């Protein structure tokens, strides 16, 4: 009995040490940088204990010393710690109905290189071939030593790729072939890397949480206007997945049918939000006969020229989304909505302004509308979020949130989830140091 207890204490001690290491990494990911004293206060450890953890993480190549902070007080200046950019690498794959993108990302969240294809999603075998060629090309950016630090491949895609083609007005093409295709298994077998899949809206919200406004804001609804509209929900600094991984799937909110002549006829007295709020619906309205072949560049040029058809679509899209958001506000009572999308920054700001006006005009009596901000990453959001998944699973104390509840992963998954949100609280203690990245 005594031996069993001692063994249990040793095992728990090792898990707790690893757990605390991951809290330190999470704080540095969100805050950008912190001193030893700030980390000790956040993790609630002594200077000696936090010092040992910091030394281990430096030796593992996961964090680095980044200079001294002189705050004018007496005593030695504080040593500033940051994530080591070369501490880990990951691939991010964003797969959508009208484009494919693969990126290589370092531990600091910087995209090293990317491959992008604007095309109607091909059959699974052809898509897999394209992805493998892209991964093989991107890995050439890394030395042999750095390749040993690749943590895996993150895959962000809409669930049910073959569904809602009527509402989107897309041709059936090869979408139905995806319903029974195991892309995760195929990528793992072909590359030897672990693959972590997530809903594309949730993955984009992860990018905002880790590297954007989420470093300062703990509660927000995230919306991404891509080929369809996707969403993610952040509460108390954590991602809310839902039972099936479809939490905040705003595309499924019922709205009145569109009045645009280009819209597919509704099969009900109502329609789905994705039928009106999507870049596919914009392309379809701009060029009904050729819209599957239109690129992001084509859509942005129509916006830049303020074409009449663009303005018609904008009014219809914003009207539908404002109505859907009022439903979301009633349920969630969130203080902030972050909206991002595939088109360039001027479009996103114009869309934010129009949506703000529409939401406030429809506000019910005695209800305040949430703030609406533009997201940090534009078309990179999904790919950054995807590439974050392997790193999050390998280095976060709350990995099970983004891996479908898996409890067989590294320390921090499974039962460690029951710590009542402590990692999120700890990360927030350093968030006053963070400055969200507003790069386009």
């Amino acid at each position: 009995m005594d031996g069993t207890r001692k063994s249990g204490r040793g095992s728990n001690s090792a898990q707790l040490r690893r757990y605390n290491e991951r809290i330190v990494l999470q704080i540095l990911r969100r805050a950008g940088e912190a001193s030893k004293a700030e980390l000790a206060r956040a993790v609630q450890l002594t200077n000696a204990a936090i010092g040992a953890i910091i030394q281990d993480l430096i030796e593992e190549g996961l964090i680095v010393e980044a200079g001294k902070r002189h705050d004018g007080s007496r005593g030695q200046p504080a040593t500033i710690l940051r994530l080591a950019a070369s501490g880990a690498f990951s691939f991010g794959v964003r797969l959508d109905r009208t484009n494919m993108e693969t990126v290589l990302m370092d531990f600091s969240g910087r995209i090293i290189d990317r491959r992008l294809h604007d095309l109607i999603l091909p059959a699974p075998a052809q898509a897999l071939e394209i992805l493998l060629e892209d991964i093989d090309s991107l890995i050439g950016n890394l030395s042999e030593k750095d390749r040993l630090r690749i943590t895996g491949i993150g895959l962000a895609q809409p669930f049910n790729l073959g569904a809602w083609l009527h509402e989107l007005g897309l041709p059936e093409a090869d979408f139905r072939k995806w319903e029974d295709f195991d892309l995760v298994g195929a990528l793992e077998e072909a590359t030897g890397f672990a693959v972590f899949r997530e809903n594309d809206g949730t993955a984009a919200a992860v990018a905002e949480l880790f590297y954007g406004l989420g470093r300062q804001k703990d509660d927000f609804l995230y919306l991404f206007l891509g080929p369809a509209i996707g969403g993610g929900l952040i509460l108390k600094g954590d991602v809310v997945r839902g039972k099936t991984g479809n939490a905040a799937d705003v595309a499924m909110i019922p709205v009145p049918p569109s009045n645009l002549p280009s819209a597919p006829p509704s099969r009900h007295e109502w329609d789905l939000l994705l039928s009106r709020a999507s870049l596919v619906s914009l392309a379809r309205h701009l060029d009904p006969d050729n819209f599957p072949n239109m690129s992001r560049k084509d859509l942005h040029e129509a916006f830049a020229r303020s074409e009449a058809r663009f303005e018609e679509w904008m009014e219809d899209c914003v009207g539908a989304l404002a109505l859907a958001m009022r439903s979301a506000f009633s349920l969630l009572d969130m203080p902030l909505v972050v909206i991002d999308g595939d088109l360039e920054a001027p479009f996103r700001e114009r869309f934010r302004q129009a949506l703000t006006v529409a939401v406030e005009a429809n506000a019910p009596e005695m209800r305040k509308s949430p703030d609406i901000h533009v997201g940090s990453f534009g078309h990179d959001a999904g790919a950054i979020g995807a590439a974050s998944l392997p790193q999050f699973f390998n280095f976060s104390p709350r990995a099970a949130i983004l891996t479908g509840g898996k409890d067989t992963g590294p320390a921090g998954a499974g039962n460690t989830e029951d710590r009542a949100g402590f990692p999120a609280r700890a990360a927030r203690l350093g968030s006053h140091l963070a400055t969200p990245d507003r790069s386009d």
Side-chain angles (χ1 to χ4, degrees), residues 17-18 20-22 24-25 28 34-36 39 49-68 79-88 107 145 149 395:
R17 171 66 172 266
R18 178 60 66 181
N20 286 331
E21 288 178 356
R22 293 178 180 210
V24 168
L25 295 175
L28 292 177
S35 68
K36 174 183 170 181
L39 292 173
I50 198 68
I53 287 175
I54 289 170
Q55 187 59 40
D56 284 350
L57 292 174
I58 289 175
E59 291 176 0
E60 291 176 20
L62 295 175
I63 66 175
V64 294
E65 295 181 351
K68 302 286 186 178
T79 298
I80 300 305
L81 301 163
R82 293 177 183 166
L83 295 180
S86 60
F107 202 37
K145 180 180 178 181
R149 290 182 171 271
F395 300 110

Side-chain angles (χ1 to χ4, degrees), residues 18 60-61 89 91 100 138 162 165 174 182 187 205 213 217 254 278 295 297 322-323 336 354 368 402 423 438:
R18 178 60 66 181
E60 291 176 20
F89 301 91
F91 294 103
M100 298 169 57
L138 291 170
L165 300 180
D174 293 305
D182 180 12
L187 280 172
L213 291 168
K217 306 292 185 180
S278 70
S295 67
K297 183 173 181 290
L323 181 61
L336 174 66
K368 183 180 183 297
L402 296 183
R438 304 294 296 178

Side-chain angles (χ1 to χ4, degrees), residues 147-428:
R147 293 180 190 186
L148 298 176
R149 290 182 171 271
I150 296 174
T151 57
I153 301 170
L155 173 62
Q157 67 171 87
F159 295 159
N160 311 114
L161 278 166
W164 308 301
L165 300 180
H166 170 81
E167 287 79 3
L168 287 168
L170 286 171
E172 185 166 328
D174 293 305
F175 290 117
R176 302 293 182 190
K177 297 177 182 179
W178 285 90
E179 292 181 358
D180 299 316
F181 184 71
D182 180 12
L183 182 58
V184 171
L187 280 172
E188 288 184 334
E189 181 178 358
T191 65
F193 296 125
V195 177
F196 306 86
R197 187 178 73 147
E198 193 53 66
N199 176 286
D200 57 335
T202 298
V206 169
E208 198 65 47
L209 173 64
F210 283 178
Y211 304 112
L213 291 168
R215 295 193 292 174
Q216 294 178 321
K217 306 292 185 180
D218 293 314
D219 302 281
F220 57 90
L221 175 66
Y222 180 88
L223 303 174
F224 189 89
L225 189 65
I229 190 166
L233 181 59
I234 307 298
L235 293 179
K236 297 182 180 179
D238 292 332
V239 176
V240 178
R241 296 186 73 256
K243 183 68 174 178
T244 64
N246 284 307
D249 187 9
V250 296
M252 297 295 100
I253 294 178
V255 295
S258 172
N259 291 319
L260 296 178
S262 58
S266 176
R267 293 182 286 195
H268 310 280
E269 293 181 357
W270 49 269
D271 217 331
L272 297 176
L273 178 62
L274 63 80
S275 69
R276 296 176 59 181
S278 70
L279 295 185
V280 168
S281 66
L282 170 57
R284 186 178 62 228
H285 192 60
L286 292 174
D287 191 347
D289 297 325
N290 189 48
F291 73 91
N293 298 317
M294 297 188 75
S295 67
R296 297 176 187 172
K297 183 173 181 290
D298 296 328
L299 301 184
H300 195 78
E301 286 177 352
F303 155 72
R305 294 192 298 265
S306 296
E307 291 185 12
R309 285 177 176 265
F310 171 84
E311 299 297 336
E312 292 168 353
W313 170 84
M314 173 72 89
E315 182 178 356
D316 186 76
C317 175
V318 166
L321 184 53
L323 181 61
M325 286 175 63
R326 292 254 57 106
S327 299
F329 302 157
S330 298
L331 289 173
L332 301 175
D333 192 25
M334 85 293 288
L336 174 66
V337 173
V338 179
I339 186 158
D340 219 332
D342 272 327
L343 297 189
E344 297 174 19
F347 168 86
R348 301 198 302 273
E349 175 57 25
R350 163 81 187 280
F351 195 88
R352 183 200 68 81
Q353 293 174 4
L355 186 59
T356 299
V357 171
V359 166
E360 291 180 351
N362 293 317
E365 185 178 4
M366 301 300 293
R367 290 296 178 92
K368 183 180 183 297
S369 297
D371 294 331
I372 302 177
H373 291 179
V374 174
S376 304
F377 302 108
H379 65 266
D380 286 337
I384 292 174
S388 298
L389 299 178
Q391 297 187 16
F392 191 75
F393 182 74
N394 281 282
F395 300 110
S396 169
R398 296 184 65 81
I401 292 176
L402 296 183
T403 53
K406 292 180 182 178
D407 58 2
T408 57
N415 291 335
T416 324
E417 293 285 330
D418 297 331
R419 287 192 147 205
F422 173 58
R425 293 201 309 275
R428 288 200 293 274

